[in-house]
């Protein structure tokens, strides 16, 4: 059959009926992307060689010595609970050779440390660490994975709304007109002259199967004079006759359908 015309306003009208999951999906995706990008930037900012050192192995198998602080720099581009990580640069002597190291920490005791102060160093091979300060660590990857999970939830919600709109628009566009039997209406609001509600109806498929169906409508006032058992016209899917819908009067008028 020839497809009925559906204007853009009709798609918007269908989307409004699924606005909650669609908007919720956008909000969840937006927040998840913001947090993901933020922590990805922080992870890139803090991903230096000092973070790849196996401090546990150094602590167990390393050798202790004394070192001297040569520089202290604070990373203001990253903040964990209002505290900024700091890089402590130092040198130490092993077998007459001066070696250099850098240790990242978020320990508040770093503010009592100054260039030229002696520090306890533990080294293993060319790697080393400071033993008087806590090692900086933060679960960037875990947070990123959690963000991706919520991003998936947000996308799923948006897809749900879009798929519902596509399915309904296809029914309005290609659905065949079938005569159904009106059963009853159920207003969504218990107030007089409510236009929103659910219409219950019954129709027979091309194979003779009787289907009891219901459909939400914004045109409830059109059914005030309709009595149980009266015939009404509905759209039924051409491929799936379980899929049906009332013929929306507003959309029929807007799109100039000949019913």
């Amino acid at each position: 059959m020839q497809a009925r015309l559906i204007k853009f306003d009709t798609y918007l009208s269908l989307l409004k009926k699924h606005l909650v999951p669609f908007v919720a999906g956008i909000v969840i995706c937006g927040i998840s992307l913001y947090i993901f990008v933020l922590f990805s930037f922080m992870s890139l900012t803090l991903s230096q060689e000092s973070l790849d050192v196996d401090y546990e192995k150094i602590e167990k198998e390393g050798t202790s010595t004394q070192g001297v602080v040569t520089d202290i720099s604070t990373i203001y581009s990253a903040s964990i609970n209002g505290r900024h990580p700091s890089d402590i640069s130092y040198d130490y002597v092993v077998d007459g050779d001066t070696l250099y190291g850098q240790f990242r920490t978020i320990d508040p005791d770093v503010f009592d440390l100054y260039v030229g102060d002696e520090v306890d160093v533990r080294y293993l091979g060319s790697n080393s660490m400071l033993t008087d300060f806590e090692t900086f660590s933060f679960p960037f990857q875990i947070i990123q994975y959690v963000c991706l999970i919520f991003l998936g939830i947000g996308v799923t919600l948006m897809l749900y709304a879009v798929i519902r709109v596509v399915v309904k628009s296809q029914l309005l566009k290609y659905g065949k007109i079938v005569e159904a039997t009106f059963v009853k209406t159920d207003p969504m609001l218990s107030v007089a002259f409510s236009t929103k509600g659910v219409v219950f109806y019954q129709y027979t498929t091309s194979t003779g199967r009787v289907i009891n169906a219901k459909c939400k409508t914004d045109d409830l006032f059109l059914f005030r004079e309709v009595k149980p058992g009266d015939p009404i016209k509905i759209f039924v899917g051409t491929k799936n006759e379980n899929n049906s819908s009332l013929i929306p009067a507003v959309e029929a008028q807007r799109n100039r359908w000949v019913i």
Side-chain angles (χ1 to χ4, degrees), residues 193-196 217-225 249-250:
F193 307 110
S194 173
T195 61
K196 297 181 182 293
T217 179
D218 295 333
D219 306 324
L220 198 62
F221 64 92
L222 296 177
F223 296 89
R224 294 190 183 280
E225 302 299 326
V250 174

Side-chain angles (χ1 to χ4, degrees), residues 226-247:
V226 182
K227 299 177 181 179
D230 287 353
I232 58 174
K233 290 184 178 180
I234 62 171
F235 285 142
V236 174
T238 54
K239 295 182 179 180
N240 182 9
E241 291 187 302
N242 291 321
N243 191 15
S244 65
S245 170
L246 296 173
I247 299 177

